[in-house]
Amino acid sequence: MNEQVRRRPDGCRHALSEAYDTALLDLDGVVYAGGQAIEHAVASLTRAREGGMHLAYVTNNAARTPQAVADQLSGFGLPTGPDDVITSAQAVARLISEQVPPGARVLAIGGEGLRVALRERGLVPVGSADDDPAAVVQGYDPSLDWERLAEAAYAVQRGVPWFASNTDLTIPKERGIAPGNGALVEVVRIAAGGTPQVAGKPQPPMHRETVLRTGARRPLVIGDRLDTDIEGACNGEVDSLLVLTGVTTPAALLAAPPEHRPAYVDEDLRGLLTPQPEVTADGAGFRCGGWRAEAGDTLHVEGEGTPLDGLRALCAAAWTAAGDGSYAADTGPALARIGR
């Protein structure tokens, strides 16, 4: 595993958009939330692209086609083609195609993006467990109803191989956090038992699909979720940037086990455009900017400066104290001290 992913966030003397050739960007919670672009995202990505960084959008949302996603991003002022979008639907379709005969029927419980990806692999989407499918696959679809979930359960009960585009339990929306595809996978599991093969982040099939489609040589994964984006980067042995515009809280970040620890942390996508500050050892603690943090039975921080530098110092201290585990002490007072 890449040592930079495993250890505390280190400094980067160059802007991240200069140090890495390709940004592998999550969408929900990073570039947009629902139908609204996140503040600073469009301007930051435009500057990164103008500086030579290739932008690729990697999403666990299997509902829409790459073209539909590209059209939305272009509408935000980010010129994007369908080849710049990689979805978990594409990853799971490839995974299925490697295990069933060409032209096989697949019971598709999901949106148009899932059906398009299956056809791209020469598979035939069907709508019923009675259509003799060779596989059943679930992908996110906000219009999914009980009847479709029941068809998936019937097929799984009959022993049809079961696949899922991803198992994210939640998805960010304009009004808050909503149930994701993983919640619907759990519905089928409760009814039918078993466990699906999963293709999306953080599983290796998604990383493989992304590398095949982008040709990235030095990619930087950018996401808002520890258990998908950051863990997927760790599984792929590439560096990652966590942005705090989505579901991850500072408290959850401090408690992250090794596979959920990003190489870099920033407020939003403006972090692509500036060098990342160095976090240095200072006796039994760690220093970043004007802050010094130390961890033991409690987490202590002192100094002054930007809250983000304080969080970086706290991450280094907490992760070092936790080692291969999760830091379990109360982090509330330390976070309050830095204004988080």
Side-chain angles (χ1 to χ4, degrees):
M1 181 178 292
N2 187 308
E3 286 301 313
Q4 188 172 12
V5 174
R6 293 184 58 118
R7 66 180 185 244
R8 59 182 170 79
D10 250 342
C12 183
R13 294 182 180 179
H14 302 282
L16 297 182
S17 59
E18 299 171 359
Y20 298 88
D21 70 340
T22 304
L24 304 181
L25 292 136
D26 182 49
L27 290 171
D28 292 307
V30 176
V31 180
Y32 56 64
Q36 301 294 321
I38 288 175
E39 189 175 10
H40 307 299
V42 173
S44 299
L45 291 175
T46 298
R47 284 185 57 191
R49 185 185 61 243
E50 290 173 347
M53 191 178 214
H54 176 210
L55 306 181
Y57 301 93
V58 185
T59 177
N60 264 359
N61 188 331
R64 296 185 298 160
T65 65
Q67 183 65 64
V69 174
D71 289 345
Q72 180 182 16
L73 292 170
S74 296
F76 291 148
L78 290 168
T80 307
D83 290 344
D84 297 321
V85 180
I86 302 93
T87 72
S88 62
Q90 294 171 323
V92 78
R94 187 186 298 271
L95 185 63
I96 295 169
S97 72
E98 294 170 345
Q99 300 181 41
V100 303
R105 297 179 180 184
V106 177
L107 175 56
I109 309 300
E112 182 62 16
L114 185 60
R115 291 187 288 272
V116 167
L118 291 169
R119 294 189 189 103
E120 184 183 62
R121 290 287 152 208
L123 302 171
V124 180
V126 296
S128 171
D130 296 333
D131 289 329
D132 193 28
V136 55
V137 59
Q138 284 184 259
Y140 176 73
D141 180 0
S143 65
L144 206 60
D145 59 21
W146 179 90
E147 290 184 355
R148 303 293 294 147
L149 292 172
E151 289 297 327
Y154 301 149
V156 173
Q157 290 167 29
R158 296 172 188 178
V160 177
W162 183 21
F163 298 81
S165 63
N166 67 295
T167 52
D168 296 26
L169 292 174
T170 60
I171 186 169
K173 291 292 186 181
E174 300 96 324
R175 297 169 59 194
I177 304 299
N181 192 55
L184 302 180
V185 169
E186 281 298 295
V187 171
V188 174
R189 184 190 63 78
I190 291 168
T195 303
Q197 295 184 53
V198 182
K201 297 178 286 187
Q203 302 304 320
M206 189 67 172
H207 181 72
R208 179 180 59 155
E209 191 72 23
T210 300
V211 171
L212 286 172
R213 289 179 180 268
T214 64
R217 295 187 176 184
R218 183 156 173 73
L220 177 69
V221 170
I222 305 171
D224 70 308
R225 302 183 71 108
L226 301 177
D227 60 348
T228 55
D229 305 312
I230 306 309
E231 185 175 341
C234 289
N235 288 340
E237 299 187 342
V238 298
D239 291 347
S240 61
L241 165 67
L242 178 81
V243 291
L244 299 173
T245 49
V247 301
T248 297
T249 65
L253 180 61
L254 293 179
E259 66 273 16
H260 289 174
R261 297 171 187 170
Y264 310 105
V265 180
D266 221 303
E267 296 286 0
D268 51 53
L269 287 173
R270 287 176 295 178
L272 274 174
L273 305 176
T274 57
Q276 292 286 307
E278 187 176 7
V279 181
T280 58
D282 182 5
F286 293 90
R287 185 176 295 278
C288 184
W291 297 99
R292 183 185 181 277
E294 188 171 330
D297 293 336
T298 61
L299 190 58
H300 175 73
V301 64
E302 58 186 7
E304 60 183 11
T306 67
L308 188 58
D309 282 346
L311 181 60
R312 291 169 175 138
L314 286 169
C315 283
W319 296 349
T320 299
D324 290 335
S326 297
Y327 189 71
D330 182 14
T331 60
L335 288 172
R337 173 70 179 84
I338 65 169
R340 299 306 301 237

